[in-house]
Amino acid sequence: MHPSCPEWASAPAAMPAAAPAIPDSSSAPSGRTRWIVRAEVALSLFCLLLFSNALIGPLFAPQTTDLAAAESDSAVLRLMWLPVYAATLALVGLRLNRFLRILPAVFMTGLLIGLCYASSFWSIDPATTTRRTIAVAMTTLFGLYLAARWQGRDLVQIIGLAFAILAFGTYFVCICVPSLGIHHDINAGDWKGLWYEKNQMAAMMVLGFIAACASAYVAPERRRYWIGLAVAIFILVVMSRSKTSLLCCLVAAVAYPVLLALQRGGVLSIIFVWLAATMALLGGTLFYAAPDLIFKALGKDPTLTGRTEIWASLMRLSDKHPWLGYGYKAFWTPTSIPAAVVRQETHWDVPSAHNGWLDLLIQVGWIGVILFGAVLAIGYFCALFRFARVRDGFFSVLILLLFSFLILSESFILSQNSLIWALFVCALARLTANAVEE
């Protein structure tokens, strides 16, 4: 095998670079080993595509925009996840020995899942809490598998291939089936692709943009294909008209030269750190002194489309159960009385807190917030010293940064059946691994 090829690049040279070769786990694999690895890649892609929630909601529950709520009312939606969980368990069982290298993340995420399960004992809806704890455990387990099984070069290309499929599917439905792929309501003209609404598509495409950029960095022999995919995904983000996701893509693009400079060290790295610190200080000062100006620049009103009213109502309700919350995923169920209070006070059918930290607070209380905050802080501490050693084209550190930004406006923390949560767990596991890739 050529030394410049990744662990899994054993396909013929004529194979299109947009469809990466199949990973391999040994320098001289037997036929059986190759088939096992191919099966792993196929199952990994299957899980990645399903966890993205593409087409699931629009096809099986078009009457709502909240997939989690739809799953509560639909046995079909719940049962369709069983093959994904089975595939996840099969993948984990096949490579269980590799989990030894990511024990810190296994321990940290285990504590979080344990808290979710424990909350069923005080939950206002124990059945929902228990069922969704199983779902988030499977989602977390898949993220841990990705980190434990694949080396960085292979990992980002498998994820990139999954997003190439999603991007192609999005272009197809937006162009050929606009009734499905484009909004015709208040957001008329905005692309939503294979998802319920434009912000969901845009958030997914930001993940794909990072994966494509990382793949271009780690696989120079396929660079033009991965750059092409990154451009195609960026166009989808633009067509969604999601300013937050567009900002995330631009920040990710700018972050690459900064991270490269930090990796190389020297005077340039010092200059970049000084500029980043100065810009952060100026931005924080401007946001504190003139928040309305920032919101206007982002095209948002000062109440964040009524979210501040939701947050005020939730803070009052969280004071009644400050330390333990109302139970994991129990607050926003259709029969929840506290949720009905929020909806009555805000005069609209609120599906979530639209803030990950606040949603975590009402689910598992301050204990959960403090525990997750500690996990996130450990991830950042390790990223500070390891971002250059985790050889995945800076994918892990950028996913960590993106997740931290997204949870300020979306409820992605401990989100079941969510690719965003699975990739965050994957990034956390890689950055905190007790055996760093070399």
Side-chain angles (χ1 to χ4, degrees):
M1 185 181 298
H2 194 280
S4 66
C5 292
E7 179 189 11
W8 51 310
S10 57
M15 185 176 183
I22 301 301
D24 206 26
S25 57
S26 64
S27 58
S30 65
R32 180 181 178 186
T33 300
R34 284 196 296 271
W35 279 109
I36 290 175
V37 174
R38 288 189 175 98
E40 281 189 271
V41 175
L43 287 176
S44 296
L45 286 172
F46 170 72
C47 292
L48 285 166
L49 294 173
L50 266 292
F51 279 130
S52 74
N53 291 309
L55 279 180
I56 296 176
L59 288 182
F60 293 98
Q63 71 283 357
T64 180
T65 59
D66 184 3
L67 186 58
E71 288 174 1
S72 299
D73 301 327
S74 173
V76 173
L77 282 175
R78 291 199 299 270
L79 290 174
M80 70 175 297
W81 287 106
L82 294 182
V84 183
Y85 301 159
T88 298
L89 290 174
L91 290 169
V92 170
L94 190 62
R95 303 294 179 179
L96 190 59
N97 62 314
R98 298 202 179 193
F99 276 65
L100 294 175
R101 63 179 297 273
I102 58 165
L103 284 179
V106 173
F107 175 74
M108 289 187 291
T109 56
L111 288 177
L112 291 170
I113 300 302
L115 178 61
C116 292
Y117 176 74
S119 71
S120 64
F121 292 100
W122 62 80
S123 172
I124 60 175
D125 189 345
T128 296
T129 295
T130 301
R131 186 174 66 249
R132 294 186 179 177
T133 296
I134 295 172
V136 75
M138 291 295 105
T139 309
T140 302
L141 200 57
F142 178 67
L144 293 172
Y145 163 79
L146 290 177
R149 169 62 181 94
W150 304 112
Q151 292 184 356
R153 178 182 167 96
D154 299 336
L155 172 70
V156 295
Q157 291 186 83
I158 292 173
I159 296 172
L161 178 56
F163 277 101
I165 296 171
L166 292 173
F168 175 81
T170 296
Y171 275 107
F172 177 80
V173 298
C174 290
I175 296 172
C176 301
V177 195
S179 60
L180 177 64
I182 300 177
H183 277 292
H184 298 278
D185 49 17
I186 192 172
N187 296 314
D190 296 354
W191 286 22
K192 61 189 181 74
L194 306 173
W195 290 268
Y196 270 129
E197 51 95 25
K198 64 172 189 173
N199 290 326
Q200 293 174 344
M201 182 196 82
M204 283 292 108
M205 289 300 110
V206 174
L207 296 175
F209 181 80
I210 293 174
C213 290
S215 297
Y217 180 79
V218 300
E221 71 279 5
R222 302 184 178 95
R223 183 164 293 163
R224 65 183 183 275
Y225 295 99
W226 290 119
I227 292 176
L229 177 61
V231 172
I233 288 175
F234 184 80
I235 292 173
L236 288 177
V237 174
V238 172
M239 295 303 295
S240 74
R241 298 179 190 173
S242 172
K243 295 182 176 65
T244 301
S245 295
L246 179 61
L247 179 62
C248 288
C249 284
L250 294 175
V251 170
V254 172
Y256 266 92
V258 176
L259 291 170
L260 283 170
L262 292 176
Q263 182 182 21
R264 293 170 182 171
V267 177
L268 192 59
S269 66
I270 298 174
I271 293 174
F272 271 126
V273 170
W274 179 81
L275 286 174
T278 302
M279 291 176 64
L281 180 61
L282 290 175
T285 302
L286 182 61
F287 184 80
Y288 179 79
D292 291 354
L293 183 63
I294 301 295
F295 291 135
K296 186 177 180 180
L298 293 174
K300 298 182 180 295
D301 64 84
T303 67
L304 295 176
T305 320
R307 291 179 183 180
T308 54
E309 298 177 4
I310 301 172
W311 298 341
S313 180
L314 289 175
M315 287 303 297
R316 288 192 295 271
L317 289 168
S318 71
D319 288 340
K320 298 180 179 180
H321 301 272
W323 289 105
L324 299 177
Y326 290 82
Y328 174 69
K329 293 296 181 181
F331 189 92
W332 296 109
T333 55
T335 58
S336 169
I337 295 177
V341 172
V342 175
R343 289 160 181 156
Q344 183 178 15
E345 291 180 353
T346 57
H347 306 292
W348 68 290
D349 191 16
V350 184
S352 71
H354 291 290
N355 179 283
W357 293 101
L358 190 52
D359 235 336
L360 190 65
L361 177 64
I362 60 174
Q363 292 180 59
V364 286
W366 282 107
I367 292 178
V369 171
I370 293 170
L371 179 58
F372 179 75
V375 169
L376 191 61
I378 291 171
Y380 270 105
F381 180 79
C382 293
L384 184 64
F385 297 100
R386 289 181 163 187
F387 74 92
R389 296 177 61 194
V390 180
R391 298 181 179 179
D392 55 10
F394 307 120
F395 176 80
S396 293
V397 68
L398 288 177
I399 290 295
L400 190 68
L401 290 169
L402 173 66
F403 186 84
S404 301
F405 181 75
L406 290 177
I407 59 176
L408 297 178
S409 60
E410 300 295 340
S411 303
F412 290 136
I413 303 175
L414 288 167
S415 180
Q416 83 276 13
N417 302 330
S418 165
L419 184 56
I420 293 179
W421 174 252
L423 292 185
F424 165 75
V425 170
C426 175
L428 177 73
R430 290 180 57 78
L431 292 168
T432 61
N434 51 288
V436 182
E437 266 183 41
E438 294 292 352

